[in-house]
Amino acid sequence: MDETLNKKRKLAWWAITLIVLGSLVAALALTAGGYVIYVVAQYYRIPDSTVLAIENNKEEKVAIGEELTFTTYNVGFGAYSPDYTFFMDEGISPAGESEVGTYATARSLEEATYNIEGSAAFLKSLNSDFYAIQEVDHDSDRTYHMDQREMFKEEISGYASTYASNFHSAWLCYPFNDIIGSINSGLLTLSRYQIEESVRHSYPVSDSFPDKFFDLDRCFSVNRVPTVNGKDLVIVNSHMSAYDEGGMIRSLQTNMLSTFLEEEQQKGSYVIVGGDFNHDLLLNNPAYDYTRSNLPFAEQFQQQMPKWVGFMFDENGDSPFPDGFSIQAADNVPTCRGADVVYTPGYNYVTTIDGFIVSDNVEVISVYNSKVSSGKGEMFSYSDHQPATLTFRLS
């Protein structure tokens, strides 16, 4: 009798255990399924050719023959202190081993504030006429809901401004060690002169799952600045995709930008595109002598060239852009560091991926990359990028 009772108790125990486990598995499946449905339902692409608001607009038009400056800077949403590493960055050690970053969010509100304030103050010190700033967050979980747009506009005051969303997402439960949450980030353009019109154009992005949820919503903003001779000075702020194995998406993006440049060329516009191109702008550039056996800044890094690096020029020195446009990039210091490991001068891979595309009716006087130093280091103090500045005049 006791033996039969014990058997019944064991069977009951196993049944309860299986029911509980089954319920937990079902609950997890429902939760995961519900979350996927939520993310997919929240996904949308901003329509192409979206007109942007122009704030604090100016009245002055650009004079012909006047010396002007244009600075571009990817501020890395205030997260990239020199010891910050990013979970999507993958480098290659000197021995050929993979090195992958850790974080997805800014490590603290204080650190993000320090970096954005430092970036804004540095840009202000350059006193440029135009600024193209990338990865500027607002109301994002990864940056503690700071409004970095307002921080830049308050520090660099007296400029007309436009803002184009370049990355928006639902609440992303990834990576598990440093959950991203929701993101709103974009391109802030500042102008000392009147902006007649500003339009956001959507770049092609990956449609594959889950890539499309981590590359929303790449674009370039077109800011039309009138000149005294009736032509437009077209100031473009651009940020192309970074993590694009094989370069297919970036190729589509450069083709789209090239078509836009041709259209502006036919109108007789003065055109300058500033931004983070996520392509090496120096290798095979006809203005320099760099080749794969003579890499830019080769004496400044030990890591091997990472897989994410694309190239704007082919081996013949040709770019994807029309005749009548030149790529202007400097090699005095790099503009981007690998963020797969803590920045250690002489070790991390460095390159120039920030610069300008300029129409031939714009006279280029100089292009120069700034070394951003502070108490935290001699370079890359507030971001994994450094600013590039073009000095020019309109012909």
Side-chain angles (χ1 to χ4, degrees):
M1 187 71 177
D2 289 341
E3 187 177 344
T4 301
L5 183 60
N6 287 335
K7 286 182 179 180
K8 288 181 178 180
R9 286 175 176 171
K10 287 181 180 180
L11 288 172
W13 183 86
W14 278 110
I16 292 170
T17 301
L18 290 173
I19 290 170
V20 170
L21 289 174
S23 299
L24 289 172
V25 170
L28 288 172
L30 286 171
T31 300
Y35 174 71
V36 171
I37 292 170
Y38 156 75
V39 170
V40 172
Q42 291 290 315
Y43 175 83
Y44 69 94
R45 288 222 66 191
I46 298 171
D48 191 22
S49 301
T50 298
V51 176
L52 302 175
I54 304 167
E55 297 185 3
N56 193 36
N57 210 354
K58 307 288 119 180
E59 294 185 0
E60 187 177 359
K61 297 181 180 181
V62 173
I64 305 304
E66 180 181 355
E67 188 171 301
L68 302 164
T69 50
F70 180 8
T71 294
T72 182
Y73 187 20
N74 182 332
V75 297
F77 62 94
Y80 290 80
S81 299
D83 58 353
Y84 184 87
T85 66
F86 188 59
F87 81 106
M88 291 186 72
D89 260 25
E90 182 175 358
I92 305 174
S93 75
E97 299 173 343
S98 175
E99 297 181 308
V100 183
T102 301
Y103 301 101
T105 69
R107 291 181 297 186
S108 70
L109 174 59
E110 293 74 21
E111 187 165 6
T113 300
Y114 175 86
N115 287 330
I116 292 298
E117 289 180 346
S119 294
F122 190 90
L123 287 177
K124 181 180 180 179
S125 73
L126 297 177
N127 195 33
S128 292
D129 296 293
F130 304 96
Y131 293 96
I133 311 171
Q134 301 86 41
E135 291 195 27
V136 179
D137 273 20
H138 67 100
D139 196 24
S140 296
D141 290 326
R142 69 181 182 178
T143 45
Y144 308 93
H145 301 273
M146 303 166 64
D147 192 338
Q148 298 176 354
R149 302 169 301 181
E150 293 304 315
M151 294 174 70
F152 280 105
K153 288 187 287 184
E154 287 174 10
E155 179 68 20
I156 312 170
S157 60
Y159 286 70
S161 69
T162 67
Y163 183 80
S165 176
N166 194 52
F167 191 174
H168 65 94
S169 73
W171 195 85
L172 298 176
C173 185
Y174 187 79
F176 299 124
N177 68 297
D178 192 25
I179 291 173
I180 295 175
S182 64
I183 299 176
N184 292 289
S185 191
L187 313 178
L188 178 65
T189 305
L190 304 177
S191 170
R192 195 169 262 150
Y193 296 87
Q194 180 187 144
I195 300 176
E196 193 171 56
E197 179 188 57
S198 182
V199 178
R200 178 195 181 281
H201 291 286
S202 299
Y203 274 132
V205 296
S206 174
D207 289 326
S208 64
F209 184 91
D211 292 355
K212 68 181 184 179
F213 300 112
F214 293 92
D215 202 21
L216 291 177
D217 193 350
R218 298 291 183 176
C219 72
F220 61 96
S221 68
V222 176
N223 303 275
R224 296 190 180 275
V225 178
T227 70
V228 294
N229 69 2
K231 292 184 179 182
D232 288 335
L233 167 58
V234 180
I235 295 292
V236 180
N237 188 345
S238 176
H239 189 187
M240 292 180 172
S241 295
Y243 307 102
D244 173 28
E245 188 171 352
M248 182 181 69
I249 298 302
R250 282 183 287 194
S251 177
L252 293 174
Q253 292 174 354
T254 54
N255 289 342
M256 179 181 178
L257 184 58
S258 179
T259 299
F260 167 80
L261 295 177
E262 285 182 328
E263 293 170 353
E264 291 302 320
Q265 187 177 52
Q266 292 169 6
K267 297 176 185 177
S269 302
Y270 304 102
V271 184
I272 307 176
V273 184
D276 174 0
F277 294 99
N278 274 309
H279 290 75
D280 183 302
L281 303 181
L282 298 177
L283 191 72
N284 297 321
N285 186 328
Y288 298 97
D289 295 320
Y290 296 115
T291 65
R292 286 185 177 271
S293 59
N294 175 35
L295 293 175
F297 313 109
E299 73 286 354
Q300 297 184 35
F301 60 83
Q302 296 177 28
Q303 285 184 308
Q304 297 183 28
M305 183 186 296
K307 296 178 181 178
W308 57 260
V309 177
F311 304 97
M312 196 61 84
F313 294 91
D314 63 22
E315 292 182 355
N316 296 319
D318 295 324
S319 81
F321 303 115
D323 291 341
F325 288 88
S326 62
I327 293 175
Q328 300 291 328
D331 69 344
N332 60 303
V333 294
T335 67
C336 182
R337 71 168 178 91
D340 49 284
V341 294
V342 169
Y343 179 56
T344 304
Y347 182 80
N348 301 61
Y349 180 82
V350 292
T351 185
T352 289
I353 62 175
D354 307 84
F356 305 90
I357 304 169
V358 182
S359 58
D360 60 7
N361 54 358
V362 176
E363 178 190 351
V364 175
I365 299 170
S366 67
V367 60
Y368 180 82
N369 299 335
S370 294
K371 181 185 292 188
V372 183
S373 59
S374 73
K376 290 189 174 182
E378 295 182 359
M379 287 201 297
F380 302 106
S381 288
Y382 307 120
S383 173
D384 59 330
H385 288 251
Q386 300 192 116
T389 299
L390 180 79
T391 302
F392 67 97
R393 63 170 62 97
L394 306 183
S395 302

